[in-house]
Amino acid sequence: MAVVSCAQTLQFFQPRNLCFLPSIRFPSRFPRVCHVKTPVYLKSSKTTDITPSLLVRASNSSSSSDFTPTIGEILGEVRIFTASGEPVFFKDLWDQEEGIAVVALLRHFGCPCCWELVSALKESKERFDSAGVKLIAVGVGTPDKARILAERLPFPLDCLYADPDRKAYDVFGLYYGIGRTFFNPASAKVFSRFEALQKAVKNYTIEATPDDRSSVLQQGGMFVFKGKQLLYARKDEGTGDHAPLDDVFDVCCKVPVA
């Protein structure tokens, strides 16, 4: 196996190399608001639902209290795809009364940092399973891109889902843009996980990157539900700024399983 030096890894993450992307051209402007098909549901003192806007997307929501109490019902009606290509609603992925689920929204299937996160989720899966917690990983891209990651990492196909239209990401109002993807200081955290990253990307291929190249500017987040109730919410500030899985597990363990 080829050994990747620290210097090579630093070069890999330099924005000018754009190694999160294939050689592509971005349009000068990204009409992100026009893409949104689902309202962003954040709590407000004036109204429960806030329609999508750049101001909403710039908000810092890292607490479940920032979202409307009906966020679970709203997410439940979002349709995504299994890694095998079958359509499925979020509400069908776990018991909507008492079931506990961790929903990890990745960036996209071709993101090296997401391979590292998925690898960490795989290593933690047994611990979550033993606690009665359903682990759900969702990435931006089509099911065939999800299968590339699942086969090469590897990762259980029955835990991996594809959201090519980023509908779930819009529901939570997750961050999007060049600044968040390449220039946010929070992304520096990835260097503290160098060995884990190096191990996770040993079979990496850029072929897992979505065909819709604008999708690579999407950031992810981590959420914990009990039934339809949102217990934990964290939006990634930048690429590689993942929620600590120990914190996520602690939240799950504080909730008695029916």
Coordinates of all heavy atoms in Angstrom, one line a residue, residues 26 28-29 32 39 62 71 79 107 132 134 159 166 179 182 189 193-194 205 209 212 215 241-242 256:
F26 N -16.6 25.9 -12.5 CA -17.8 26.3 -11.8 C -18.4 27.6 -12.4 O -17.6 28.4 -12.9 CB -17.5 26.7 -10.3 CG -17.2 25.5 -9.5 CD1 -16.0 25.2 -8.9 CD2 -18.3 24.6 -9.2 CE1 -15.8 24.1 -8.1 CE2 -18.1 23.5 -8.4 CZ -16.8 23.3 -7.8
S28 N -19.9 31.3 -12.5 CA -19.4 32.4 -11.7 C -20.3 32.7 -10.5 O -19.9 33.2 -9.5 CB -19.4 33.7 -12.5 OG -20.6 34.0 -13.1
R29 N -21.6 32.2 -10.6 CA -22.5 32.4 -9.5 C -23.3 31.1 -9.4 O -23.6 30.4 -10.3 CB -23.5 33.5 -9.8 CG -22.8 34.9 -9.9 CD -23.9 36.0 -10.1 NE -24.8 36.1 -8.9 CZ -25.9 36.8 -8.9 NH1 -26.2 37.5 -10.0 NH2 -26.6 36.9 -7.8
R32 N -28.1 29.1 -5.6 CA -28.5 28.2 -4.6 C -30.0 28.2 -4.2 O -30.6 27.3 -4.0 CB -27.6 28.3 -3.3 CG -27.9 27.4 -2.2 CD -27.7 26.0 -2.7 NE -27.8 25.0 -1.6 CZ -28.2 23.8 -1.7 NH1 -28.6 23.4 -2.9 NH2 -28.4 23.0 -0.7
P39 N -38.8 24.0 2.2 CA -38.5 25.1 3.1 C -37.5 24.7 4.2 O -37.4 23.6 4.5 CB -39.8 25.4 3.8 CG -40.8 24.9 2.8 CD -40.2 23.7 2.2
S62 N -26.7 24.8 15.8 CA -26.1 23.6 16.3 C -26.8 23.0 17.5 O -26.2 22.3 18.3 CB -24.6 23.9 16.7 OG -23.9 24.3 15.5
I71 N -40.0 19.3 13.0 CA -38.9 19.0 12.0 C -38.9 17.5 11.6 O -38.6 17.1 10.5 CB -37.5 19.5 12.5 CG1 -36.5 19.4 11.4 CG2 -37.1 18.7 13.8 CD1 -36.6 20.3 10.3
R79 N -38.2 12.1 0.4 CA -37.8 10.9 -0.2 C -36.4 10.9 -0.7 O -35.9 11.8 -1.4 CB -38.7 10.6 -1.4 CG -38.6 9.2 -2.0 CD -39.5 9.0 -3.2 NE -39.0 9.7 -4.4 CZ -39.4 9.5 -5.7 NH1 -40.4 8.6 -5.9 NH2 -38.9 10.2 -6.7
R107 N -21.2 15.1 3.1 CA -21.1 16.0 2.1 C -21.5 15.3 0.8 O -22.7 15.2 0.4 CB -19.7 16.7 2.0 CG -19.4 17.6 3.1 CD -18.1 18.3 2.9 NE -18.1 19.1 1.7 CZ -17.2 18.9 0.6 NH1 -16.3 17.9 0.7 NH2 -17.3 19.7 -0.4
G132 N -29.3 -0.2 20.6 CA -30.7 -0.1 19.9 C -30.8 1.1 19.1 O -32.0 1.6 18.8
K134 N -30.5 3.1 15.4 CA -30.4 2.9 14.0 C -29.4 3.9 13.4 O -29.6 5.1 13.6 CB -31.8 3.1 13.4 CG -31.8 2.9 11.8 CD -31.6 1.5 11.4 CE -31.6 1.4 9.9 NZ -33.0 1.6 9.4
C159 N -27.2 0.7 5.4 CA -27.1 1.9 6.2 C -26.8 3.1 5.4 O -26.7 4.2 5.9 CB -26.0 1.7 7.2 SG -26.3 0.4 8.5
R166 N -30.4 16.8 -2.7 CA -30.1 17.5 -1.4 C -31.4 18.0 -0.7 O -31.3 19.1 0.0 CB -29.2 18.7 -1.7 CG -27.8 18.3 -2.2 CD -27.0 19.5 -2.6 NE -27.3 19.9 -3.9 CZ -26.9 21.1 -4.4 NH1 -26.4 22.0 -3.7 NH2 -27.2 21.4 -5.7
G179 N -16.7 29.2 0.1 CA -16.1 29.6 1.4 C -16.1 28.5 2.4 O -15.1 28.2 3.1
F182 N -13.9 25.3 1.2 CA -12.4 25.3 1.0 C -11.7 26.3 2.0 O -10.5 26.1 2.2 CB -12.1 25.7 -0.4 CG -12.6 24.8 -1.4 CD1 -13.6 25.1 -2.3 CD2 -12.0 23.5 -1.5 CE1 -14.0 24.2 -3.2 CE2 -12.5 22.6 -2.4 CZ -13.5 22.9 -3.3
K189 N -9.5 21.0 11.4 CA -9.6 19.9 12.4 C -9.2 18.6 11.7 O -8.8 17.7 12.4 CB -11.0 19.8 12.9 CG -11.5 21.0 13.7 CD -13.0 20.8 14.1 CE -13.4 22.0 14.9 NZ -14.9 21.9 15.3
R193 N -6.7 14.4 12.5 CA -7.1 13.0 12.2 C -6.4 12.4 11.0 O -7.0 11.7 10.3 CB -8.6 13.0 12.0 CG -9.5 13.7 13.1 CD -11.0 13.4 12.9 NE -11.5 13.8 11.6 CZ -12.0 15.0 11.3 NH1 -12.0 15.9 12.2 NH2 -12.4 15.3 10.1
F194 N -5.1 12.8 10.9 CA -4.4 12.5 9.7 C -4.3 11.0 9.4 O -4.6 10.5 8.3 CB -3.0 13.0 9.8 CG -2.0 12.5 8.7 CD1 -2.1 12.9 7.4 CD2 -1.1 11.6 9.1 CE1 -1.3 12.4 6.5 CE2 -0.2 11.0 8.1 CZ -0.3 11.5 6.8
T205 N -11.6 6.7 -4.7 CA -11.6 7.1 -6.1 C -12.5 8.3 -6.3 O -13.6 8.4 -5.7 CB -12.2 5.9 -7.0 OG1 -12.3 6.4 -8.3 CG2 -13.5 5.4 -6.5
T209 N -17.6 11.0 -7.0 CA -18.0 12.4 -7.0 C -19.3 12.6 -7.8 O -19.4 12.0 -8.9 CB -16.9 13.4 -7.5 OG1 -15.7 13.2 -6.8 CG2 -17.4 14.8 -7.5
D212 N -23.4 16.1 -10.8 CA -23.7 17.5 -10.6 C -22.6 18.2 -9.8 O -22.6 18.1 -8.6 CB -25.1 17.6 -9.9 CG -25.5 19.0 -9.6 OD1 -24.8 20.0 -10.0 OD2 -26.5 19.2 -8.8
S215 N -22.8 20.1 -6.5 CA -23.2 19.4 -5.3 C -22.0 19.3 -4.3 O -22.2 19.1 -3.1 CB -23.7 18.0 -5.6 OG -24.9 18.1 -6.3
D241 N -15.3 19.1 9.3 CA -15.7 19.5 10.7 C -16.9 18.6 11.2 O -18.0 19.0 11.2 CB -16.2 21.0 10.7 CG -16.7 21.5 12.1 OD1 -16.1 21.0 13.1 OD2 -17.7 22.2 12.1
H242 N -16.6 17.4 11.5 CA -17.6 16.4 11.9 C -17.9 16.5 13.3 O -17.1 16.8 14.2 CB -17.1 15.0 11.5 CG -16.7 14.9 10.1 ND1 -15.7 14.1 9.6 CD2 -17.2 15.5 8.9 CE1 -15.6 14.2 8.3 NE2 -16.5 15.1 7.9
P256 N -33.9 6.5 27.1 CA -34.3 5.1 27.3 C -35.0 4.5 26.0 O -35.9 5.2 25.5 CB -35.3 5.1 28.5 CG -35.8 6.5 28.5 CD -34.7 7.4 28.0

